[in-house]
Amino acid sequence: MSVSKSLDTDLLRSEKQTLFRFSSLYILFSIVIVFAFSFMYYDAQKDLMLQEKRHELQEHSKNLIEDLKQLHINFDKNKYYPRSDAYESAILDSDENLIFQTIKTRVKLNEILYLGDGMIHLVSIPESYYVGAKFVIVMIKDDELWLEHVKKELLLFNSIALSVMLIVGYILLQLFIKPMRDAMHLLDRFIKDTTHELNTPVSTIVTNIEMINKENLDEKTLKKINRIDIGAKTISNIYQDLTYLTLGNKIISNDETLDIAHVVEERIEYFKSLASARKVTLHSTIIQNTSLYMDKGKFSKLLDNLISNAIKYNKMQGSVTVHVDTRRIVVEDSGIGIAKKNIAKLQDRYARFNKSSGGFGIGLNIVSSIAKEYSLNIKITSEEKIGTKVHVSW
Amino acid sequence: MLTKVLFLLLFSSTLLYSNVYETNCVACHEELPVSIDKYFYRYLLQYSSKREVKKAMIKYLNSPSQKRSVMAEAFIRRFGVKAKTTLKHKELRDAIDIYWDKYKVFGTLK
């Protein structure tokens, strides 16, 4: 068997979760950085704009204070607050009470120059408090041209920054998953090499057992031959599983309409010797016969894995029943069951939750990949020490 | 009947308070060449808020000195520092309240 170099290695669910978390964290971190920078840039541009307007506002403030001085001197004759078309204004006393304002606006006294309510404010404190005004505030309208400019710049910069971060993130992700991929590749390569070496001896054993004329054998020898037959079938199953796993995507499907009840009976017959060795009884319940258009070999592989697991993880003198119903088969066992927390991880490759029985943890991964190929739904329900039910529906 | 008595009491007390200012402040200031409102605007120029102005006035009238006066040095030199008030604290406060209300800037600007 030739060993393919383009390995189709799937990452495990936990590894995918780790990668998802890393990606989410990276994206979040990138967005936070971009937002923080955008905010700082916006703030700097706003300050720059305010400084540019400071001189104009100072001129207005000077004029207003001079007008207030005149008003103060002539207050007994004139009570008209000085106004200008060039700016709006407000005056407050030393207790920050508003004396007068030309436009309704919220004024802040903790900043000298600031932007608020679409107006640029400058707070001044005159040398003398004309008409009681300790705080003189002049305001001009913000034309927001600078804001439009900043928005355009930020849009451009953020697009470039996010693109760069995305590329860097992708490179980091590749570096991050490399050790995981290497480990998976190593395991896959090992399995491929092993299957390659198993091929010839397994074929020889199975063929030769089939060629033996069992009618001429005495009971003792027949028992021994049966045991060899079971062993050879077990190895053959493992071999087929491993072959499917390594060449799964390259096997050409030969789809046909399958008589499900017939295939189920055939596979039950195949597993009878294995089941009897473990004192497990095998049954099939045909509630209603059904058909399915798919590759027979793949359907048999799916069923073999389910039956094989049901036998393997059963208790002594337990039972396995395959129910066939309309568009559904259910493989039910009276086995050890699976803990609820492990059910979700069952279909991961190399997932094993019982170390008392052998295996590579690839059976349900194969079932899962075949089901995916033919859009079959797999549902596993299990209760510890009571048994497991695997529902395959289409 | 009770309403009438209360109204009379209120009316007489209002008259009494205005008299405190008129009789104790205006009466003397009328004799000076600088009208009483000019002092108010000097206080406003220096102290700004209602609270600060009233506080400074009470402080000066209770303990007048050149240092505490808001008037120019030349004015003090010519007219001197006034004598300490003989009014009780409440009377003085009432007189200043009337003074503030008469010349205040709040609500008078157009």
Side-chain angles (χ1 to χ4, degrees):
Chain A
M1 187 191 295
S2 65
V3 179
S4 168
K5 281 189 179 176
S6 60
L7 298 160
D8 304 304
T9 310
D10 293 332
L11 293 173
L12 296 183
R13 189 193 301 266
S14 60
E15 284 156 352
K16 280 180 184 165
Q17 272 179 358
T18 309
L19 290 177
F20 178 73
R21 281 178 198 150
F22 168 78
S23 308
S24 308
L25 204 68
Y26 181 82
I27 291 167
L28 188 76
F29 188 62
S30 305
I31 291 171
V32 167
I33 288 176
V34 166
F35 264 88
F37 182 83
S38 303
F39 181 74
M40 282 194 292
Y41 184 73
Y42 164 82
D43 221 38
Q45 290 299 307
K46 191 178 83 178
D47 278 350
L48 194 70
M49 177 278 295
L50 288 174
Q51 292 311 322
E52 280 170 6
K53 298 281 181 187
R54 182 186 273 269
H55 182 71
E56 184 189 340
L57 282 159
Q58 276 173 336
E59 277 299 309
H60 293 326
S61 183
K62 205 173 126 189
N63 293 339
L64 179 62
I65 291 168
E66 189 54 43
D67 291 344
L68 287 172
K69 186 180 176 182
Q70 292 307 315
L71 177 69
H72 188 96
I73 293 165
N74 303 304
F75 200 70
D76 49 346
K77 298 172 204 125
N78 167 32
K79 286 187 169 48
Y80 285 99
Y81 182 83
R83 289 170 172 84
S84 168
D85 291 338
Y87 60 87
E88 300 291 345
S89 64
I91 52 173
L92 287 89
D93 70 10
S94 58
D95 284 341
E96 299 179 9
N97 297 312
L98 186 74
I99 302 170
F100 195 81
Q101 62 181 0
T102 57
I103 187 170
K104 271 204 171 180
T105 179
R106 279 174 299 162
V107 287
K108 289 191 282 182
L109 298 173
N110 54 347
E111 283 180 277
I112 293 171
L113 188 63
Y114 65 91
L115 185 65
D117 296 336
M119 307 280 279
I120 305 162
H121 299 64
L122 177 75
V123 181
S124 312
I125 299 176
E127 281 178 20
S128 296
Y129 309 147
Y130 303 116
V131 291
K134 184 176 180 180
F135 302 103
V136 175
I137 300 153
V138 287
M139 298 160 261
I140 55 168
K141 199 167 164 47
D142 176 22
D143 55 17
E144 294 190 346
L145 284 173
W146 69 277
L147 191 63
E148 289 301 317
H149 186 64
V150 168
K151 274 183 190 169
K152 276 180 194 165
E153 278 182 335
L154 282 178
L155 190 72
L156 181 72
F157 170 78
N158 287 347
S159 309
I160 296 168
L162 281 173
S163 307
V164 170
M165 280 177 170
L166 213 65
I167 295 165
V168 172
Y170 180 75
I171 296 165
L172 279 176
L173 203 66
Q174 291 298 319
L175 291 173
F176 193 61
I177 61 173
K178 197 177 179 296
M180 293 183 201
R181 279 207 168 135
D182 287 348
M184 300 287 283
H185 285 179
L186 199 70
L187 196 56
D188 269 12
R189 200 170 299 125
F190 169 74
I191 290 169
K192 278 180 182 175
D193 293 346
T194 313
T195 51
H196 180 64
E197 297 304 323
L198 276 172
N199 187 20
T200 317
V202 167
S203 304
T204 313
I205 296 167
V206 172
T207 317
N208 281 286
I209 288 170
E210 277 170 8
M211 283 163 67
I212 293 171
N213 187 356
K214 290 174 185 171
E215 285 169 10
N216 299 337
L217 299 174
D218 60 276
E219 202 180 324
K220 218 173 173 179
T221 317
L222 187 66
K223 237 179 189 175
K224 284 175 186 169
I225 291 293
N226 273 340
R227 280 192 210 125
I228 296 167
D229 183 34
I230 291 163
K233 275 180 180 167
T234 310
I235 297 169
S236 178
N237 271 336
I238 294 169
Y239 166 73
Q240 282 167 22
D241 280 357
L242 294 175
T243 310
Y244 181 86
L245 194 74
T246 49
L247 296 172
N249 296 343
K250 295 168 194 75
I251 295 170
I252 297 161
S253 297
N254 187 15
D255 296 343
E256 57 184 306
T257 306
L258 300 176
D259 179 351
I260 297 302
H262 178 73
V263 182
V264 166
E265 293 293 355
E266 200 179 278
R267 298 326 292 165
I268 282 177
E269 192 57 38
Y270 177 80
F271 277 104
K272 262 195 177 147
S273 52
L274 185 69
S276 66
R278 289 180 182 249
K279 294 191 169 47
V280 172
T281 49
L282 272 176
H283 310 280
S284 65
T285 323
I286 314 295
I287 300 161
Q288 192 171 343
N289 195 9
T290 186
S291 62
L292 176 64
Y293 188 75
M294 77 179 272
D295 182 84
K296 191 182 176 185
K298 286 185 180 176
F299 182 74
S300 300
K301 186 106 298 292
L302 180 142
L303 202 57
D304 284 3
N305 272 301
L306 295 180
I307 297 170
S308 158
N309 277 348
I311 296 168
K312 203 191 292 177
Y313 301 109
N314 218 315
K315 52 194 170 200
M316 286 300 277
Q317 292 176 331
S319 67
V320 175
T321 314
V322 183
H323 305 274
V324 179
D325 202 350
T326 319
R327 303 176 73 81
R328 189 172 77 135
I329 56 163
V330 181
V331 179
E332 183 182 5
D333 68 57
S334 60
I336 52 174
I338 309 151
K340 268 185 186 164
K341 60 175 182 173
N342 293 330
I343 290 178
K345 299 175 195 165
L346 268 179
Q347 292 169 51
D348 287 352
R349 191 184 290 186
Y350 312 127
R352 292 187 58 230
F353 303 104
N354 187 312
K355 295 196 169 50
S356 61
S357 299
F360 292 95
I362 53 174
L364 280 176
N365 182 258
I366 290 170
V367 170
S368 172
S369 64
I370 295 173
K372 203 172 167 186
E373 189 182 339
Y374 286 94
S375 305
L376 306 175
N377 300 313
I378 305 277
K379 189 185 156 199
I380 301 170
T381 51
S382 185
E383 213 168 319
E384 280 186 279
K385 291 175 187 166
I386 291 178
T388 305
K389 274 186 189 180
V390 183
H391 307 250
V392 183
S393 57
W394 56 92
Chain B
M1 183 65 186
L2 186 68
T3 320
K4 277 182 183 172
V5 171
L6 279 171
F7 177 75
L8 278 171
L9 274 172
L10 194 70
F11 183 70
S12 55
S13 67
T14 311
L15 273 177
L16 186 73
Y17 290 147
S18 62
N19 283 342
V20 169
Y21 169 70
E22 294 289 338
T23 53
N24 294 287
C25 307
V26 178
C28 291
H29 274 277
E30 270 176 349
E31 290 169 18
L32 293 169
V34 179
S35 61
I36 197 165
D37 62 327
K38 299 291 181 231
Y39 300 86
F40 182 87
Y41 297 127
R42 287 200 74 104
Y43 269 100
L44 205 58
L45 200 65
Q46 202 165 319
Y47 295 99
S48 176
S49 73
K50 179 182 177 180
R51 187 179 58 82
E52 293 286 344
V53 165
K54 285 183 178 180
K55 197 173 129 189
M57 282 178 180
I58 289 171
K59 206 170 182 180
Y60 176 77
L61 292 168
N62 277 326
S63 180
S65 67
Q66 189 179 346
K67 200 179 157 191
R68 283 180 179 166
S69 175
V70 290
M71 300 309 281
E73 205 182 323
F75 180 89
I76 300 290
R77 234 182 290 130
R78 189 173 166 199
F79 298 102
V81 174
K82 80 175 280 297
K84 185 185 170 186
T85 183
T86 53
L87 291 173
K88 286 176 187 166
H89 184 67
K90 192 182 176 311
E91 286 174 322
L92 180 63
R93 225 175 50 204
D94 292 339
I96 288 169
D97 284 347
I98 295 163
Y99 187 37
W100 171 268
D101 285 339
K102 200 169 170 62
Y103 297 107
K104 68 180 177 186
V105 176
F106 285 89
T108 58
L109 285 170
K110 294 168 197 167

